């Protein structure tokens, strides 16, 4: 413990020092808690061995093969040792690099995986600088959300995004699976949801295969995410954002609906007074819960502008009761906090601005008052589908205009709602809505580099944060994105390296 406090103190001092020439290339995003640089470096060679926890060791070998060309052997023990032992704190790891050996230690494989991401960012031209790092996350929940309803993304595309976010130590992928434009997950008891309900997307056709995941497809996504120590959070958005379901089953709505290819929100609602609706909720939630090894299921609840207040409250009470009987902790967008009858421990996801808009702070505090925690996704800084500037070819501007990169970095989730600090926060999430985003290139160039800013806010100790300090680290990170073939927007506030 004493050693750790010492290392921490030095690390914090080091964090304040200006970057030395050359050091910039081996900086890490998200910034670790404590780092002390040593002399010399570890040189990777064709006969360097990797040992310890086998799954993470194999992942590391694969990543180093891409980075260096060496196919390093993996065995019980190695020059690079991934040891299950103790961690400085939950979710964390310690990493020691000397010219002779690399040792990574954590209390589980997920912690080692986080440490491996640090190691991979330190590696440069086949060498890793001598260093001692002690690191752990500020927040337990570090999420990225992908909207596969407005535009569908295939299993392969989602797996690529999982790889993209894994390098930034995200550990949750929230999939927005249903919306007005499409229902994207097969539900055996209501097959029409992925018939008529998945017949289109924003802008209509232009897509060859089916616009939904079979259950096996979905299991493949969940398993792939797990191989990157990422837990999938499925979202079934209700009672609004349900045009696709109603188009498939008119009895679910008060009025008939047809498949929708536009980008308006707030025009659909499930029929609140009909028992069929609750049979539907029960069937869907049961089948989705059965596909979900993780603890959470997201029930939406946002922008239900076509549902009266009384109906909304009645629906949320019944739908959340049904869902909690399926053994999952519920997450809802902050409007769900209008209800004072939530199952205890329900998590609220805040999507208003860094200055809360009408009612949003109260609705979010309601989750805390009912024993739950909060995930922060302030739309004006954490929404990856906002334009970077007025000239961005993709993206929207409704959340207080474009979100330039520095704005995505210089905010603190514990400083938005009085009464919601680190203790009340489960974590931070960066959503990407896909009304204007249809391809992997679109997705990556909108997400990166802003998602690196959100990752640091979710993982690294609380600020003060300065974009001037972040920018050179991001420039170095840009080289890694180039090497990985990840498209990113060369934001003008950073001097990118050639
Ligand atoms: C608001 S924020 C939405 C989504 C849209 C998004 C576009 C929230 C919970 N709902 O339905 O896709 O804006 O940025």
């Amino acid at each position: 413990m004493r050693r750790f406090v010492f290392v921490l103190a030095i690390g914090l001092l080091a964090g304040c020092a200006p970057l030395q020439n050359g050091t910039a290339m081996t900086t890490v995003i998200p910034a670790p808690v404590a780092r002390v640089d040593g002399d010399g470096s570890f040189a990777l060679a064709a006969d360097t061995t990797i040992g310890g926890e086998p799954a993470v060791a194999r992942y590391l070998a694969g990543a180093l093969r891409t980075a260096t060309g060496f196919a390093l052997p993996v065995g019980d023990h190695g020059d690079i040792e991934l040891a299950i032992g103790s961690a400085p704190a939950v979710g964390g790891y310690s990493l020691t690099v000397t010219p002779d050996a690399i040792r990574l230690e954590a209390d589980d494989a997920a912690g080692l995986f986080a440490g491996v991401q640090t190691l991979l960012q330190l590696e440069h031209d086949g060498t890793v600088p001598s260093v001692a790092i002690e690191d752990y996350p500020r927040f337990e929940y570090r999420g990225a959300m992908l909207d596969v309803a407005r535009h569908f993304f295939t299993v392969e595309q989602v797996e690529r995004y999982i790889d993209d976010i894994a390098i930034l130590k995200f550990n949750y992928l929230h999939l927005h699976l249903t919306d007005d434009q499409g229902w994207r997950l097969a539900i055996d008891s209501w097959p029409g949801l992925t018939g008529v309900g998945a017949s289109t997307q924003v802008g209509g056709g232009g897509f060859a295969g089916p616009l939904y995941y079979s259950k096996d497809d979905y299991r493949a996504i969940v398993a792939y995410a797990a191989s990157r120590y990422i837990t999938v959070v499925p979202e079934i958005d209700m009672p609004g954002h349900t045009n696709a379901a109603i188009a498939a089953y008119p009895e679910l709505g008060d009025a008939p609906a047809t498949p929708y290819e536009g980008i308006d929100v707030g025009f659909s609602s499930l029929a609140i007074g009909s028992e069929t609706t609750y049979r539907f909720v029960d069937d869907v939630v049961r089948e989705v819960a059965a596909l979900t090894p993780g603890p959470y299921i997201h029930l939406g609840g946002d922008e239900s502008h076509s549902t009266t207040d009384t109906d909304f409250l009645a629906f949320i009470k019944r739908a959340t009761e049904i869902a909690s009987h399926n053994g999952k902790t519920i997450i809802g967008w902050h409007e769900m906090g209008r209800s004072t009858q939530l199952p205890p421990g329900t998590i609220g996801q805040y999507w208003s601005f860094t200055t809360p808009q009408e009612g949003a702070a109260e609705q979010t505090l309601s989750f805390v008052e009912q024993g739950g925690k909060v995930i922060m996704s302030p739309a004006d800084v954490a929404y990856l589908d906002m334009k970077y500037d007025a000239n961005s070819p993709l993206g929207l501007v409704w959340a207080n205009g474009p979100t330039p990169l520095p704005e995505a970095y210089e905010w603190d989730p514990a400083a938005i709602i009085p009464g919601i600090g680190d203790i009340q926060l489960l974590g931070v999430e960066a959503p990407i809505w896909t009304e204007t985003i249809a391809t992997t290139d679109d997705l990556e160039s909108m997400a990166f580099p802003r998602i690196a800013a959100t990752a640091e806010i979710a993982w690294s100790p609380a600020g003060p944060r300065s974009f001037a300090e972040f920018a050179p680290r991001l420039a170095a990170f840009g080289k890694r994105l180039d090497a990985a073939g990840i498209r990113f927007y060369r934001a003008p506030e950073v001097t990118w390296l050639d």
Side-chain angles (χ1 to χ4, degrees):
M1 186 61 193
R2 179 129 44 84
R3 179 179 70 99
F4 175 61
V5 171
F6 172 71
V7 169
L8 181 67
I10 299 289
L12 291 175
L13 287 175
C16 299
L19 291 169
Q20 316 257 301
N21 271 350
T23 316
M25 288 311 296
T26 63
T27 57
V28 177
I29 295 175
V33 172
R35 169 176 177 164
V36 181
D37 291 309
D39 294 326
S41 59
F42 180 94
L44 292 158
D47 61 353
T48 302
T49 53
I50 304 177
E53 204 290 320
V56 185
R58 280 195 300 275
Y59 173 92
L60 176 61
L64 286 176
R65 179 160 197 177
T66 309
T68 66
F70 296 134
L72 304 183
V74 174
D76 287 347
H77 295 286
D79 305 311
I80 305 175
E81 182 76 13
L82 310 183
I84 301 280
S86 63
V90 178
Y93 63 89
S94 42
L95 172 65
T96 314
V97 180
T98 68
D100 300 324
I102 296 180
R103 182 178 170 80
L104 189 55
E105 187 171 324
D107 61 11
D108 62 9
L112 290 174
F113 187 78
V116 156
Q117 300 308 332
T118 299
L119 176 56
L120 289 168
Q121 286 191 39
L122 291 168
E123 184 277 329
H124 186 58
D125 289 341
T127 66
V128 185
S130 293
V131 74
I133 287 176
E134 305 246 331
D135 197 15
Y136 52 84
R138 178 178 175 190
F139 295 115
E140 168 190 337
Y141 184 107
R142 304 176 303 281
M145 190 212 81
L146 175 61
D147 170 8
V148 296
R150 272 53 178 270
H151 278 101
F152 182 67
F153 290 82
T154 63
V155 172
E156 291 69 31
Q157 288 176 306
V158 175
E159 289 179 352
R160 181 177 165 119
Y161 198 57
I162 288 169
D163 280 332
D164 290 356
I165 65 174
I167 64 177
L168 288 165
K169 301 186 174 72
F170 284 96
N171 62 347
Y172 283 90
L173 174 68
H174 166 185
L175 288 177
H176 183 75
L177 291 167
T178 68
D179 214 301
D180 292 317
Q181 298 83 350
W183 184 287
R184 308 298 178 202
L185 176 62
I187 300 294
D188 298 333
S189 51
W190 296 74
L193 292 170
T194 47
V196 171
S199 57
T200 193
Q201 55 181 351
V202 169
F207 197 90
L211 296 169
Y212 67 92
Y213 308 118
S214 69
K215 285 196 169 176
D216 279 345
D217 288 343
Y218 190 77
R219 287 187 192 99
I221 291 172
V222 169
Y224 193 85
S227 77
R228 270 69 176 143
Y229 302 91
I230 289 175
T231 302
V232 174
V233 178
E235 179 185 351
I236 305 297
D237 199 351
M238 302 180 286
H241 293 279
T242 44
N243 178 80
I246 299 166
Y249 292 100
E251 63 269 36
L252 292 174
D254 290 323
T258 50
Y260 180 67
E261 300 174 355
I263 66 166
D264 286 347
V265 298
F267 61 87
S268 56
S269 177
L270 293 174
I272 306 301
S274 160
E275 283 309 304
T276 308
T277 293
Y278 301 100
R279 188 163 55 78
F280 166 80
V281 173
D282 193 22
D283 289 340
V284 169
V285 169
R286 188 181 59 254
E287 291 194 33
V288 173
L291 291 169
T292 303
Y296 302 116
I297 182 163
H298 200 307
L299 296 186
D302 58 316
E303 299 174 320
S304 299
H305 306 318
S306 301
T307 319
T308 65
D309 283 353
T310 312
D311 279 359
F312 183 79
L313 294 176
F315 176 82
I316 293 300
K317 181 168 189 309
R318 285 201 58 187
T320 55
E321 267 170 21
I322 290 168
S324 60
H325 289 147
N326 283 284
K328 297 295 174 189
T329 299
I330 296 155
I331 306 179
W333 296 108
H334 68 246
E335 293 101 309
M336 198 185 274
R338 285 155 62 190
S339 171
T340 55
Q341 296 179 295
L342 298 173
T346 299
I347 306 295
Q349 184 168 8
Y350 176 86
W351 64 271
S352 183
F353 298 166
T354 41
T355 302
Q357 307 293 290
E358 180 72 30
E362 294 73 17
Q363 288 162 14
T364 306
L365 279 163
S366 156
F367 291 89
V368 174
E369 284 152 12
Q370 297 179 71
K373 292 193 174 193
V374 170
I375 297 167
M376 275 290 167
S377 301
D380 56 337
V381 289
Y383 270 24
L384 302 173
D385 60 309
M386 289 300 127
K387 287 180 183 289
Y388 280 86
D389 61 45
N391 297 321
S392 297
L394 306 174
L396 305 174
V397 292
W398 64 265
N400 257 350
T403 303
L405 176 60
E407 282 182 24
Y409 184 68
E410 292 182 326
W411 64 280
D412 183 9
I416 292 176
I417 301 178
I420 298 185
D422 281 42
I423 304 287
Q424 291 79 21
L425 288 171
L426 184 65
V428 172
E429 184 177 289
I432 189 154
W433 303 96
T434 58
E435 287 93 336
T436 65
I437 293 164
T439 66
T440 289
D441 275 358
D442 293 352
L443 189 58
E444 291 180 344
S445 63
M446 288 303 282
F448 287 88
R450 283 183 301 203
I451 195 170
T454 328
E456 183 148 309
I457 289 164
W459 176 284
S460 304
R465 284 181 215 291
S466 110
F467 183 76
E469 185 277 329
F470 186 54
R473 288 191 287 121
L474 206 44
F477 187 69
K479 295 290 282 183
R480 308 214 74 88
L481 294 177
D482 279 336
I486 299 175
R487 275 271 306 263
F488 66 97
Y489 171 63
R490 284 178 156 66
E493 299 88 350
V494 174
T495 309
W496 301 100
L497 308 170
D498 297 327

